[in-house]
């Protein structure tokens, strides 16, 4: 049986949310043995996401945790609490039985994922890495590989990062998550761009990383970002004869 891929997706309410989730679900539905852990940045589960998931046709777990208001700042990292909630659920679920083979991947709701990416990450033994497109002020960032080992990073931004890699650029085996029960994303002292390094430092070393995507020479995931929607002509009060979820 294939190892299960657990995709942890933090998500928050905004005009494009349902469009993003629809695109993501359309990708995930084509991936065998994938379990979607969708974590809403809210105090309660929203009706929109609940009914969306009910019709998504995907094995899923619907979690929620609000980001404390003091952390909602442009210069602070996003979705720390949500990713940790996903990690906690995974550990809780597997605490009794010895873990079935599984692979964890952090899948933001606005990125673009090729199907090949999931084939690559499926064989992760501990921690695997690959290039990410459209990130760090460059066309791509990638781990530099020599003789099958990661020896450095091709990046144009903060080259001092111990793991100069985006959240979409790595996967972790379930076994590693379970045998490092304290590994979490940290708020304290963590700047944007350092979340990945802070987390990976707790569970692996650069020397141990498994390069995927043909020794990290292929871009299979893109750090796309959706343009902010123009709602300039949206009426102040509800004017339509029907109430439509968008
Ligand atoms: N996110 C969230 N709460 C927020 C902002 C973002 O849950 O207040 C989620 C968002 O839906 C996405 C992930 O966190 O899945 C990363 O956010 P974003 O895509 O805005 O970050 P960037 O593209 O700048 O890395
Ligand atoms: Mn994003």
């Amino acid at each position: 049986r294939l190892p299960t891929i657990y995709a942890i997706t933090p998500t928050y309410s905004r005009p494009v949310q349902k469009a993003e989730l629809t695109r993501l679900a359309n990708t995930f539905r084509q991936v065998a043995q994938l379990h979607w852990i969708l974590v809403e940045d809210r105090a309660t589960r929203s009706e929109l996401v609940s009914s969306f998931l009910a019709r998504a046709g995907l094995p899923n777990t619907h979690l929620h945790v609000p980001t404390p208001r003091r952390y909602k700042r442009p210069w602070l990292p996003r979705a720390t609490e949500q990713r940790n909630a996903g990690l906690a659920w995974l550990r809780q679920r597997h605490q009794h039985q010895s873990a079935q083979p599984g692979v964890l991947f952090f899948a933001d709701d606005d990125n673009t994922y090729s199907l090949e990416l999931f084939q690559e990450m499926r064989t992760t033994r501990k921690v695997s890495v690959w290039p990410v497109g459209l990130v760090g002020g460059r066309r791509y960032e990638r781990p530099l590989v020599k003789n099958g080992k990661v020896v450095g990073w091709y990046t144009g931004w903060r080259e001092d990062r111990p793991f100069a890699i985006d959240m979409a650029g790595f996967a972790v085996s379930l076994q590693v998550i379970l045998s490092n029960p304290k590994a979490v994303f940290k708020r304290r002292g963590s700047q944007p761009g350092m979340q990945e390094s802070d987390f990976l430092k707790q569970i692996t070393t650069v020397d141990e990383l498994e390069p995927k995507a043909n020794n990290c020479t292929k871009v299979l995931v893109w750090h796309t970002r959706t343009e902010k929607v123009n709602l300039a002509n949206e009426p102040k009060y509800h004017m339509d004869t029907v109430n439509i979820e968008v």
Side-chain angles (χ1 to χ4, degrees), residues 10-12 14 41 72 78-79 82-83 108-110 223 225:
T11 187
Y12 70 113
R14 60 207 192 278
D41 183 352
K72 288 257 184 193
R78 294 183 255 273
Q82 290 72 31
R83 293 193 185 99
D108 287 357
D109 61 6
D110 56 342
H223 184 256
R225 301 180 81 187

Side-chain angles (χ1 to χ4, degrees), residues 2-16:
L2 288 174
T4 303
I5 292 174
Y6 294 93
I8 296 183
T9 302
T11 187
Y12 70 113
S13 174
R14 60 207 192 278
V16 299

Side-chain angles (χ1 to χ4, degrees), residues 18-236:
K18 194 176 180 185
E20 304 282 31
L21 295 179
T22 298
R23 200 151 45 95
L24 196 50
N26 287 350
T27 302
F28 286 171
R29 223 179 284 111
Q30 304 180 71
V31 181
Q33 200 67 31
L34 181 141
H35 187 108
W36 195 9
I37 305 170
L38 197 51
V39 192
E40 285 197 79
D41 183 352
R42 277 173 57 102
T44 59
R45 292 187 180 91
S46 68
E47 180 54 38
L48 185 148
V49 173
S50 302
S51 56
F52 174 82
L53 275 179
R55 316 187 80 238
L58 277 162
N60 69 79
T61 300
H62 186 183
L63 306 175
H64 62 90
V65 56
T67 303
R69 242 211 347 234
R70 64 183 176 284
Y71 295 139
K72 288 257 184 193
R73 297 280 188 277
W75 59 87
L76 293 179
R78 294 183 255 273
T80 302
E81 289 74 20
Q82 290 72 31
R83 293 193 185 99
N84 285 340
L87 286 169
W89 178 87
L90 258 187
R91 288 172 173 137
Q92 170 82 28
R93 172 178 167 135
H94 295 282
Q95 67 179 342
H96 294 307
Q97 80 248 48
S98 67
Q100 305 289 316
V103 176
L104 162 68
F105 170 58
F106 294 103
D108 287 357
D109 61 6
D110 56 342
N111 293 338
T112 305
Y113 306 94
S114 72
L115 298 181
E116 231 185 304
L117 177 70
F118 299 94
Q119 297 181 6
E120 292 289 313
M121 73 170 78
R122 185 97 62 184
T123 56
T124 302
R125 281 184 295 175
K126 287 181 168 173
V127 180
S128 62
V129 294
W130 52 78
V132 176
L134 315 180
V135 76
R138 287 201 177 171
R139 291 168 62 236
Y140 61 88
E141 285 182 343
R142 76 177 191 99
L144 298 170
V145 178
K146 204 171 172 185
N147 301 325
K149 288 210 167 200
V150 175
V151 295
W153 310 93
Y154 172 83
T155 177
W157 183 72
R158 293 207 64 166
E159 299 186 29
D160 58 320
R161 290 176 290 164
F163 297 80
I165 196 168
D166 184 75
M167 207 60 82
F170 67 90
V172 184
S173 79
L174 179 58
Q175 207 53 256
V176 166
I177 293 299
L178 298 179
S179 54
N180 294 274
K182 292 200 172 122
V184 291
F185 290 94
K186 297 194 171 117
R187 273 290 173 195
R188 273 194 41 185
S190 176
Q191 305 150 282
M194 289 309 255
Q195 291 232 101
E196 295 86 350
S197 285
D198 283 346
F199 181 71
L200 288 169
K201 266 194 304 200
Q202 299 171 63
I203 58 172
T204 190
T205 59
V206 172
D207 192 61
E208 259 189 342
L209 297 174
E210 301 149 38
K212 298 293 187 190
N214 192 24
N215 281 324
C216 298
T217 60
K218 284 164 81 178
V219 171
L220 301 176
V221 57
W222 296 262
H223 184 256
T224 44
R225 301 180 81 187
T226 302
E227 185 182 7
K228 202 167 155 39
V229 201
N230 174 6
L231 296 178
N233 298 327
E234 186 69 8
K236 291 231 165 31

